Amino acid sequence: LRARLPGHRQPVVDAAFSRDGSRLATLTASHELRAWDVRTARLLSAQGPRTVAGTRADGRNFERVALSPDGRRVAVSRYERV
């Protein structure tokens, strides 16, 4: 453990690194999304439940987070049905 990344109010359910390892995205079940600079442990962006695209107040939670290859865009998803 090199650094703590404070800020989420709920447990983190998923995390993803950018391809080059310079950025990290973290996601909680309550739709809190954070983007971090890995080298400095600095918070780059914070999105709450009302600002994450696709959030619905139906009790279903996001489960996965992914970063684009360049690390500039974040995608979140949730399991519905197969």
Side-chain angles (χ1 to χ4, degrees):
L1 179 66
R2 292 183 180 224
R4 291 190 185 272
L5 304 174
H8 287 298
R9 290 177 223 129
Q10 298 291 320
V12 171
V13 296
D14 198 26
F17 286 95
S18 61
R19 183 179 287 173
D20 66 3
S22 66
R23 295 187 184 202
L24 173 68
T26 56
L27 176 70
T28 69
S30 63
H31 306 176
E32 293 175 323
L33 179 64
R34 304 282 190 265
W36 308 89
D37 180 293
V38 172
R39 187 177 59 80
T40 64
R42 184 173 66 92
L43 180 64
L44 300 172
S45 177
Q47 303 294 316
R50 296 178 195 267
T51 57
V52 174
T55 297
R56 297 190 309 204
D58 60 5
R60 290 182 284 182
N61 294 323
F62 292 117
E63 296 178 350
R64 298 287 180 254
V65 62
L67 284 163
S68 64
D70 64 5
R72 298 181 64 146
R73 290 178 297 278
V74 178
V76 293
S77 67
R78 68 174 156 227
Y79 172 78
E80 293 284 339
R81 287 191 181 148
V82 176

